[in-house]
Amino acid sequence: MKAVLASHNKKKMAEMRAILSELGVELLSQADVGVDIEPEETGTTFEENARIKAEAIMQATGLPAIADDSGLVVDALNGEPGVYSARYGGEGLDDTGRWQLLLKNMKGTENRACRFVSVICCAFPDGSQLMTRGECHGVVAEGPRGEGGFGYDPVFWLPEKGKSMAELSPEEKNSISHRGNALRVFKEELEKKLNGTDQ
Ligand code: IMP
């Protein structure tokens, strides 16, 4: 099956291709199919935003479209940055600026529990959809560590590993990450759908 990933994030693409290729899914980028739109993420939940992105790209391409909406949820910040993770602190900040702002907002906070959340939605041209959610629990680190991954990975501390998310190899990250967890369930659901055993 061919599907388009509704994203311009090359690192997300690599993480998702690695898992979905095991299913024989050929994941195309928006550039591959010449569709440059970036749907506005007007939802207030990861589920709503994943659906908005997947439906828009499916409609523009006529192909099944897969979207991931993800973010970092911090307990002590009432769930922020949450669905606004990519826009935390406004347009002027890059990934480093965003995790620096997070550390500043967490200064002196004892409860550092947080989780990454990923919701994957596939919108099919026949109107059907598949949606799955994955989480990965950790704590907000006191400072950055590691060079891998992207986004908030340098400040996402995994106590049981004694490492930040950015210190994991891509394979290690996929094996425990929110996106990896959502994708593994997604893969099972898609397998059932493709084999006609989902009813
Ligand atoms: P989205 O592209 O609208 O889903 O925004 C996701 C945002 O959440 C990214 O820009 C990152 O800031 C953050 N995020 C999502 N997944 C990860 C991850 O695996 N590591 C670090 N940050 C992530």
Side-chain angles (χ1 to χ4, degrees):
M1 177 183 109
K2 277 190 185 177
V4 184
L5 180 67
S7 171
H8 295 286
N9 183 328
K10 291 202 170 103
K11 297 198 173 158
K12 252 191 202 180
M13 171 62 109
E15 291 184 4
M16 294 179 75
R17 254 191 191 146
I19 291 185
L20 291 178
S21 65
E22 294 167 19
L23 247 196
V25 174
E26 187 188 343
L27 198 57
L28 305 170
S29 68
Q30 287 190 216
D32 291 334
V33 293
V35 169
D36 195 25
I37 56 173
E38 197 160 336
E40 210 184 324
E41 296 180 28
T42 51
T44 54
T45 62
F46 295 109
E47 280 78 4
E48 278 179 272
N49 282 337
R51 184 178 289 124
I52 288 170
K53 291 189 273 190
E55 279 180 351
I57 303 304
M58 180 274 289
Q59 275 160 10
T61 61
L63 288 169
I66 301 175
D68 151 276
D69 197 61
S70 47
L72 178 69
V73 175
V74 179
D75 289 359
L77 300 177
N78 298 318
E80 279 188 8
V83 292
Y84 306 105
S85 293
R87 292 166 272 170
Y88 193 46
E91 294 288 317
L93 298 184
D94 59 5
D95 275 356
T96 305
R98 282 187 280 274
W99 61 245
Q100 282 174 340
L101 175 64
L102 176 71
L103 293 190
K104 190 169 148 242
N105 291 342
M106 287 295 286
K107 211 166 174 144
T109 306
E110 251 174 58
N111 176 10
R112 304 189 74 87
C114 64
R115 61 189 185 278
F116 275 132
V117 176
S118 161
V119 170
I120 312 270
C121 176
C122 183
F124 296 89
D126 68 359
S128 62
Q129 293 189 342
L130 270 187
M131 194 175 299
T132 63
R133 172 186 261 254
E135 299 195 354
C136 177
H137 292 248
V139 296
V140 179
E142 296 287 345
R145 271 175 66 161
E147 305 291 329
F150 66 96
Y152 298 89
D153 283 346
V155 297
F156 190 94
W157 185 250
L158 294 152
E160 67 283 7
K161 294 219 173 260
K163 286 181 181 174
S164 80
M165 194 69 108
E167 292 180 298
L168 303 185
S169 68
E171 294 73 29
E172 263 183 304
K173 180 176 171 183
N174 260 349
S175 73
I176 58 149
S177 77
H178 48 316
R179 192 165 303 101
N181 291 336
L183 271 172
R184 276 180 283 278
V185 183
F186 179 79
K187 188 178 152 195
E188 280 172 28
E189 297 293 315
L190 182 61
E191 207 157 21
K192 283 189 220 159
K193 185 175 169 74
L194 295 178
N195 292 330
T197 56
D198 60 330
Q199 307 291 290

